[in-house]
Amino acid sequence: MNAVAEQLGKTKGLLSALDALTNRRAFATLAMTLITCALFAALLSFLSGSLLMNGYFFLAGLLGFVGGVIDLLVCITGFSATGFILDAQMTGKPQPTIGEALMKALATLPRLLGVAVLLFLLVLGIAIGVALLLLICKIPGVGPLLYVFVFPVSVIVTGLTLFSAFYIAALSGPAIWNGKTTLQTVALLVSIARQRLLAVVIHTLLLGLLISVVAGIMMFILGIGISFTSALSLPIIGQAGGFGGLSSMFGGGGSGYVVAASVGLLLLFSVAWVLPVLLGIAGYCLIYGNVTDGLSSEDIEERLKAAQNKARESIQQAREQMTTAKAATTSAPQETEATEAETTETPLACPACEQAVGSADAFCGNCGHKLK
């Protein structure tokens, strides 16, 4: 059996990701994360909207940016904590408690952010390289001829890079949950993209199909429940609630019941998405285990370490040059002052008439006294 067929044979193991739907610890962690992030985002929207209506545009933008970054970090931390729990379940390891998982997620948060930054720099580097090639194609005369070759090569390189990043980036989470450092994770992702990209794509598509089925069932259940409850709420409370209540609230005619229904819907949909997301996280833990089985990334890791050391040496040399230049700039005024002091020494005088004479004079120009 060849390597591709062996990897495809492992796709049937993705069904075991359904076991994550019964993990109460992971469910509670992710539910708290989604509810917290949803409520915080709603609060930010309300406060930013109030500031905008009162003309405080700068404060509204600053609040939205800072609050959005905090909300994103909280969301990533919660997802990572859930990942630690589910990865342990999928690999048969002892599952950490919610507190332990959160502590691990906070400790490894810089690694996740570091991987995101390195992948971004990788894509940015390729984009800069393509841009330079396109600039060369602006040379008069030979530019169009070069563009015949540069254009298709650029299309293939950028297309493969973005396609690989789309499917491979999500595996950075399971790599870090399994103890990989930032550099090791990036090296492993590059190795997966080079050797087992097709297996990752097929695994991901099948996982997406499984998630779609679960999400469709959840949305169908919510749709029926919302319609039935709204129909009963209209004659009893006087407000339909549900999506109709949301429309009334956005139209400016919302009452307390409409606001309550809106908050309830926000919480409801936050919890409803827990199951599909749990399935996705568990599925990627299984995909990571399948595609990294027997895969070595030591050669790429060594190259990345060499590049990292070279970058550090360049930075150190730049710092030393700046220090040397600063020291030379500081000592220059002192040398100037010393030179000026030498040139402003007391002039020589004739011992007979005390008239000024030069250091090279043999006789005094005033009285003729012999100096040398």
Side-chain angles (χ1 to χ4, degrees), residues 179-257:
K180 300 292 184 182
T181 63
T182 299
L183 197 63
Q184 291 172 341
T185 300
V186 174
L188 189 60
L189 294 181
V190 174
S191 298
I192 293 173
R194 291 175 56 184
Q195 302 180 37
R196 298 181 178 176
L197 179 60
L198 179 60
V200 174
V201 172
I202 296 176
H203 278 74
T204 304
L205 292 177
L206 293 177
L207 178 61
L209 180 61
L210 194 60
I211 294 174
S212 300
V213 172
V214 174
I217 293 174
M218 293 302 302
M219 292 301 103
F220 183 71
I221 293 173
L222 288 182
I224 295 176
I226 290 172
S227 300
F228 192 80
T229 305
S230 298
L232 289 177
S233 298
L234 184 59
I236 297 175
I237 297 180
Q239 293 287 343
F243 294 110
L246 284 174
S247 301
S248 300
M249 184 182 70
F250 291 140
S255 64
Y257 288 106

Side-chain angles (χ1 to χ4, degrees), residues 123-354:
V123 175
L124 181 62
I126 293 175
I128 293 174
V130 172
L132 292 176
L133 291 176
L134 294 177
L135 286 175
I136 295 175
C137 292
K138 295 184 68 175
I139 299 175
V142 298
L145 180 61
L146 292 175
Y147 192 63
V148 172
F149 302 98
V150 170
F151 181 77
V153 171
S154 300
V155 169
I156 294 175
V157 171
T158 55
L160 283 176
T161 301
L162 296 177
F163 181 81
S164 301
F166 177 79
Y167 281 97
I168 300 298
L171 294 176
S172 58
I176 290 176
W177 302 332
N178 281 271
K180 300 292 184 182
T181 63
T182 299
L183 197 63
Q184 291 172 341
T185 300
V186 174
L188 189 60
L189 294 181
V190 174
S191 298
I192 293 173
R194 291 175 56 184
Q195 302 180 37
R196 298 181 178 176
L197 179 60
L198 179 60
V200 174
V201 172
I202 296 176
H203 278 74
T204 304
L205 292 177
L206 293 177
L207 178 61
L209 180 61
L210 194 60
I211 294 174
S212 300
V213 172
V214 174
I217 293 174
M218 293 302 302
M219 292 301 103
F220 183 71
I221 293 173
L222 288 182
I224 295 176
I226 290 172
S227 300
F228 192 80
T229 305
S230 298
L232 289 177
S233 298
L234 184 59
I236 297 175
I237 297 180
Q239 293 287 343
F243 294 110
L246 284 174
S247 301
S248 300
M249 184 182 70
F250 291 140
S255 64
Y257 288 106
V258 174
V259 175
S262 303
V263 175
L265 274 177
L266 183 63
L267 297 176
L268 189 62
F269 277 99
S270 298
V271 175
W273 277 104
V274 170
L275 294 181
V277 175
L278 281 178
L279 184 58
I281 296 175
Y284 269 105
C285 291
L286 293 173
I287 293 173
Y288 172 82
N290 291 339
V291 298
T292 58
D293 185 21
L295 182 66
S296 176
S297 59
E298 294 180 357
D299 55 337
I300 298 178
E301 186 177 345
E302 291 298 327
R303 294 179 188 176
L304 291 176
K305 286 183 179 179
Q308 186 182 39
N309 293 333
K310 186 176 181 180
R312 288 177 178 175
E313 292 176 359
S314 300
I315 294 174
Q316 185 63 28
Q317 291 176 358
R319 288 179 178 176
E320 292 176 355
Q321 292 176 357
M322 291 178 63
T323 304
T324 304
K326 185 177 180 181
T329 304
T330 306
S331 61
Q334 297 177 354
E335 296 177 356
T336 304
E337 292 175 1
T339 304
E340 291 177 353
E342 293 176 356
T343 58
T344 57
E345 291 181 352
T346 304
L348 299 175
C350 175
C353 63
E354 297 183 353

Side-chain angles (χ1 to χ4, degrees), residues 43-57 60 63:
L43 179 62
L44 279 178
S45 299
F46 175 77
L47 294 177
S48 299
S50 299
L51 290 173
L52 285 174
M53 292 180 64
N54 288 280
Y56 299 102
F57 301 104
L63 177 63

